[in-house]
Amino acid sequence: KQWYQRRVAVGNVVFLHPLVAMNIADHATRYKINNKDHQYALGVLLGKQTGRDIEIISSFDVCYDVVDNSWILNRDYLDSRLEQVSQIPAGGASWAESTSSVSDVVGWYALGSSPATRHIGMHTQMCQVNESVVLLMFDHTNEKELSMKTYESLVDLSNNQSRTVFVESQYTVKTTESERIGIDHAAGANVSGFSAVSDVVSSNQSAITMLNGRAQVICDYIREVKEGKRKSNPAIMRAISSLVSSLPLAQQHTDNFDAQCSQEVVEAMMIASLATLTRGIMTHDEIAAKSNVIYSHNVTNKKIRSLDVFSAFSRNLPI
C-alpha cells in the first residue's frame, strides 16, 4: 500500500544546505557500520520558515523506541537537544550566524527510498512539535548518486475516508561562500591532507605578499623623501596621492573592517577544524573496518586449527 504520491506538490519551497546532507550521510554510515537491522537512522531538520519558503540549515539524530513495529519518539531527548541548540550564541553576519540562531524544527529525515506506514506515525508525532514539517528521505543503498527526496503531508479523501499521504516536493540546494569552502575541503581532501582549497589559499597568499611588498616600497619612498634622503618626484607623488584618495572607505570604516576580517578568520578556522574532525572520523572508520576484518579472520583460523587438532586426535584413537 502506497502512502505517497508521485505528483509534485506546489506548496512550500524547500532550500537544503549541503551540511544537512553531510550529517545525514554520516548518520547513515554509522547505522550501516553498526548493522542495526531493526532500527533506522532518524533525525530532525532545523531551519527557518518564512511564508512558503523553508530553509533547512542543520540537523541532528533523535532517539526513539520500537513498539509493535512502530516508532515512538523520545520527546524528552528531543526537547533537551533543542534546548541545547537554542543556547548556542549567535555569530557573525553570515552562514555561522544563521546556523547558530536557528532552533526551529522544520522537518525530519529517515532512511529509505519512499515513505511507508511507520513513517505516517512518526510524522504525526513530529507535527506535534511543528504542525508544518517536511519529510526528507535518504536512500543510503544508492551508491551511484546522492538520492534524496522531500515530501509534504496532505489529507487524502477517498471512499469517504480520510488518510494522511505524502506528496513529493522539489528542493533546491542553497549554500554560502564559507560553507562551500568547508564542503570542498572535506570532499577534496586526500591522503596528504591537501585539497583544492589549499591551491586557492596559496594563490591568495602569494597575491597578498606581492601587494604588501609593493605597498612597502611606496612607504619607504615617502619616508625617504620626508627625511630628505631622496628628491621628491612630483609625478610619483601625484600617483601616490591618487592611489590613496581612491581608498576612502578603508580609512573611514577601519573598525568595521577589522571586525569583519576577524569574524571571517574565526569562521575559516572553524571550518578547517570541522574538516579535520571529518578526516579523523573517516580514518577511524577505516581502521575499525580493517580491525574487524583481521579479528574475524583470526577467529576463523583458530576455529579451523582446533577442528584439525580434534580430527587428528580422533584418528589416533583406538577402535
Side-chain angles (χ1 to χ4, degrees), residues 131-161:
E131 61 181 7
S132 178
V133 294
V134 296
L135 169 61
L136 178 63
M137 297 294 299
F138 177 76
D139 188 5
H140 62 291
T141 60
N142 191 346
E143 300 180 354
K144 296 182 179 180
E145 60 181 0
L146 185 63
S147 179
M148 303 179 68
K149 296 181 180 179
T150 56
Y151 296 89
E152 299 179 23
S153 61
L154 296 176
V155 177
D156 182 31
L157 297 176
S158 59
N159 297 328
N160 295 327
Q161 294 181 354

Side-chain angles (χ1 to χ4, degrees), residues 12-317:
N12 298 322
V13 180
V14 181
F15 297 96
L16 180 65
H17 283 259
L19 179 62
V20 180
M22 290 186 61
N23 290 341
I24 299 176
D26 176 70
H27 195 186
T29 302
R30 289 187 280 113
Y31 153 76
K32 184 177 180 180
I33 292 176
N34 293 330
N35 294 323
K36 296 183 178 180
D37 297 332
H38 66 287
Q39 300 247 349
Y40 291 87
L42 302 180
V44 298
L45 305 173
L46 302 179
K48 55 186 178 180
Q49 182 174 2
T50 305
R52 291 187 175 182
D53 296 341
I54 299 178
E55 185 176 358
I56 305 175
I57 298 176
S58 182
S59 64
F60 62 82
D61 55 320
V62 296
C63 296
Y64 62 93
D65 299 323
V66 180
V67 179
D68 296 334
N69 201 25
S70 299
W71 295 326
I72 305 301
L73 178 65
N74 190 337
R75 189 61 184 272
D76 295 335
Y77 176 81
L78 177 60
D79 293 339
S80 62
R81 288 297 303 271
L82 292 177
E83 180 66 22
Q84 294 174 359
V85 173
S86 63
Q87 294 177 359
I88 299 177
S94 60
W95 172 74
E97 180 181 4
S98 60
T99 304
S100 59
S101 62
V102 171
S103 59
D104 296 335
V105 177
V106 296
W108 65 289
Y109 67 85
L111 299 184
S113 58
S114 61
T117 306
R118 58 172 56 186
H119 294 87
I120 295 291
M122 178 58 72
H123 191 80
T124 303
Q125 299 177 62
M126 288 293 178
C127 288
Q128 297 177 0
V129 183
N130 187 356
E131 61 181 7
S132 178
V133 294
V134 296
L135 169 61
L136 178 63
M137 297 294 299
F138 177 76
D139 188 5
H140 62 291
T141 60
N142 191 346
E143 300 180 354
K144 296 182 179 180
E145 60 181 0
L146 185 63
S147 179
M148 303 179 68
K149 296 181 180 179
T150 56
Y151 296 89
E152 299 179 23
S153 61
L154 296 176
V155 177
D156 182 31
L157 297 176
S158 59
N159 297 328
N160 295 327
Q161 294 181 354
S162 63
R163 63 167 184 168
T164 302
V165 296
F166 288 109
V167 179
E168 183 178 351
S169 61
Q170 300 291 339
Y171 69 90
T172 303
V173 178
K174 182 179 180 180
T175 181
T176 59
E177 183 178 0
S178 57
E179 193 175 10
R180 285 194 297 269
I181 293 175
I183 297 298
D184 182 72
H185 188 77
N190 51 29
V191 180
S192 60
F194 296 96
S195 65
V197 181
S198 302
D199 299 334
V200 177
V201 174
S202 178
S203 61
N204 291 339
Q205 183 180 7
S206 301
I208 293 174
T209 302
M210 182 180 298
L211 177 62
N212 184 40
R214 295 182 178 181
Q216 189 64 36
V217 171
I218 296 175
C219 293
D220 293 340
Y221 176 81
I222 296 176
R223 183 174 58 253
E224 292 179 358
V225 170
K226 185 177 180 180
E227 295 176 354
K229 297 180 180 180
R230 185 186 294 269
K231 186 177 180 180
S232 177
N233 189 333
I236 297 178
M237 296 301 294
R238 284 194 298 269
I240 295 176
S241 177
S242 176
L243 177 62
V244 174
S245 61
S246 64
L247 303 173
L249 296 178
Q251 298 177 356
Q252 298 176 5
H253 304 282
T254 303
D255 297 336
N256 189 19
F257 174 79
D258 292 341
Q260 293 181 0
C261 182
S262 300
Q263 183 62 36
E264 291 292 336
V265 172
V266 171
E267 292 179 2
M269 294 177 64
M270 179 183 65
I271 293 173
S273 300
L274 290 175
T276 303
L277 290 175
T278 303
R279 291 198 303 270
I281 293 174
M282 294 174 59
T283 304
H284 177 270
D285 292 341
E286 292 178 359
I287 295 175
K290 294 179 181 178
S291 300
N292 292 334
V293 173
I294 296 174
Y295 176 76
S296 60
H297 181 70
N298 292 336
V299 171
T300 304
N301 290 339
K302 289 181 180 179
K303 290 182 179 179
I304 294 175
R305 286 197 297 268
S306 61
L307 291 175
D308 292 341
V309 172
F310 179 77
S311 178
F313 177 74
S314 300
R315 288 195 300 267
N316 294 330
L317 290 178

Side-chain angles (χ1 to χ4, degrees), residues 2-16:
Q2 287 188 348
W3 293 91
Y4 71 98
Q5 299 179 4
R6 296 186 180 276
R7 62 186 178 92
V8 179
V10 293
N12 298 322
V13 180
V14 181
F15 297 96
L16 180 65

